[in-house]
Amino acid sequence: MSTAVLPRENYLNTDYGLRSWFLTTDHKRICILYLLTITLFFAIGGAFATVMRLDLATPAADLVSDETYNKMFTMHGIIMVFFFLVPSIPATLGNFLIPMMVGAKDVAFPKLNLASWYIFTAGGCFTLWALISGGVDSGWTFYTPFSTLSSNTNVTLAALGIFIAGFSSILTGLNFMVTIHRMRAPGLTWFRMPLFLWSMYAASLIFVLGTPVIAITLLLVAAERVLHLGIFDPARGGDPVLFQHLFWFYSHPAVYIMVVPGMGVVSEIVAAFSRKRIFGYTFVAFSSLAIAILGFLVWGHHLFVAGISVYSALVFSLLSYFVAIPSAIKVFNWTATLYKGSISFATPMLYAFGFIWMFTIGGLTGLFLAALGIDIHVTDTYFVIAHFHYIMVGGAIMAYLGGLHYWWPKMTGRLYPEGWGKLGFITVFLGFNLTFFPQFILGYMGMPRRYHAYPPEFQTLNVLSSAGASILAIGYLIPLVYLLWSLKYGPIAGPNPWGAKGLEWTTSSPPPKHNFETTPIVTEPAYNYSELEETAVV
Amino acid sequence: MAIEHTETTEHVVPKRVYYTIFVILMVMTYTTVQVAYFDLGRFNAVAALLIAFFKASLVVLFFMHVKYAPKLIKLFVLGGLFWLAIMLGITMTDYMTRTPQEFPMSRVNTVQPLPAAHVPTALLG
Ligand SMILES: [Cu+2]
């Protein structure tokens, strides 16, 4: 915090006006465009969740009708998965940081990057239109034969919106992979790269290899609805379970699109706030790739009760256990990094701790679900809901918020208020656990998902969950308010407020339009904190 | 920092190659149509798919220049094919071993019915 003024020229003040934003090819400005777009989608998805939790506060179905409730959980899932979680870390932090971390001026294809945002927004508008003009009730999973034969809601429109947004994912993944392959600064070898880059590379692989499958599958659903083909309809020689195979071939790896970038963020934060090189760097780097690859072999664990063969179920169950290995490697290595580190409990670090804890609970309950016997008991219950919210909300969103706080000074040039940051984290953490922990018990006791009425004996736990959801909502509003406040009133951050390692911290905050004054030359491995004498910890 | 142009330089392909490939593609299309007149039993789909695969390979190799591309690009193309094989292959662990008897519900239906006196009347309607 040496200088108390913002750099005179940075990416935010080189041009002004709408044109300079909507036609920008600067990866940093595109990050801001995505940030605003997905925050809007998060608010919409959150509103649907609010209606559900309000309705579930009482056993009787008294707030909304059955049809409306079906639409609420469907639209919550579609918006949150496809329009918030999948793009969350890659499109915002990934866009901002990948060129900076490799020491480049921009991504490999800057125009394609802008096009990706337009495609994403177009897909989002399509889906929003489907929601406004009547909604969808098929569940975010679009299961056939309901989605193709029975549902008389806007399934086709919503599916087309996701189809369009899929191209944004594919192009973003491609852009990131080429950037990491071809644009690294002199001296930045693969094994000197920050782990965030490894995890973004792994996530990009999933984008490129998985997204075409969901796009075509949803197109087939639309085609079956409109043209009555016989792909999924048994009466025409199709197989409804085929849809589930194809859908989960993408949608299981999609979970890793959400969580692997989060793991990259956590690696950066843990190293910076314990002043140590990540323990077992190579293992952590390769475990990202291992998760991306193994993640493609396990989709059948969503189909155990759908009528797949017993042999197939055994294969998928066994393979599912393998994913636990690279995930556990990461958790153990972060923990080992903390050992004898000089740890500071700044807000980003708190979110990283939150991630490690919540991801561990979500991951371990995933092992319960991979076991054939237990899965049959808890399939389609709140146990599953709790499990994947621990991964996606407790894991992915915690990491997203942690990363947003960690790099906020870099993106805006200003610090957020630390006390409010900690308060926000505590509220999110308590609210999250109060919302979702009772759902494990509810699911174990047999409360099915996707119903808006339930037996009275489940009410206590449901009321706890709804109360937690309102705390969680406040927890998300707190950072929104103080981060916006900090844009004008936050203290000037300076180039490296955390005393962290990494190329992005060697340039001014906010960075100049082309990131670096001169092309950086890398001479040391990532997280070279060992020779660090002085720390500038908050 | 700028992308080096040594590896990505466009390979100039003579027009003759494009025309030849185009003619081969047309001939293969004609073959597909002609093969459809013969009933090969379960090999109908196999024959059609083999021809289609051959045609797609030509497009990828020559029209999309993968034949002249560096090894890394070839690796990624093969990776895409390999992932397709994963998707089809593991899905087949289900379809090749699926038998109707394995559905839990159908097993329930083949269980010997209880003597009528023991069945609660609610279940009989
Ligand atoms: Cu899964």
Side-chain angles (χ1 to χ4, degrees), chain A residues 103-105 177 181-183 201 209 213 239 241-242 245 249 296-297 299 307-312 316 519, chain B residues 1-8 72 76 79-80 83 86-87 90-91 93-95 97-99 102-103 107:
Chain A
K105 286 193 180 110
M177 271 162 44
H181 268 284
R182 304 305 302 272
M183 315 262 299
Y201 189 87
L209 291 167
V213 178
D239 174 22
V241 178
L242 177 65
H245 276 295
F249 180 82
F296 274 103
L297 312 179
W299 75 84
I308 58 169
S309 74
V310 170
Y311 171 76
S312 184
F316 279 121
T519 303
Chain B
M1 183 163 65
I3 297 182
E4 321 135 40
H5 282 277
T6 46
E7 279 179 56
T8 48
L72 187 64
F76 270 77
W83 248 255
I86 289 177
M87 186 177 86
I90 308 187
T91 303
T93 63
D94 175 18
Y95 286 97
T97 58
R98 212 195 269 178
T99 50
E102 278 172 2
F103 289 88
R107 208 180 299 140

Side-chain angles (χ1 to χ4, degrees), chain A residues 406-479:
Chain A
Y406 181 55
W407 284 293
W408 188 258
K410 182 50 64 185
M411 291 160 68
T412 66
R414 289 180 186 270
L415 289 164
Y416 55 84
E418 181 63 28
W420 284 97
K422 289 199 167 81
L423 181 74
F425 166 76
I426 291 166
T427 319
V428 166
F429 187 81
L430 291 180
F432 168 77
N433 280 292
L434 189 58
T435 310
F436 292 104
F437 200 80
Q439 296 186 4
F440 276 126
I441 305 167
L442 280 170
Y444 183 74
M445 298 196 319
M447 180 170 166
R449 68 193 284 197
R450 294 181 172 174
Y451 282 73
H452 78 323
Y454 53 84
E457 62 261 35
F458 291 151
Q459 189 174 13
T460 314
L461 289 166
N462 269 297
V463 167
L464 282 179
S465 181
S466 292
S470 36
I471 297 176
L472 187 57
I474 296 169
Y476 288 141
L477 282 176
I478 295 173

Side-chain angles (χ1 to χ4, degrees), chain A residues 248 251-252 255 298-299 301-302:
Chain A
W248 289 110
S251 295
H252 181 82
V255 175
V298 301
W299 75 84
H301 59 221
H302 298 268

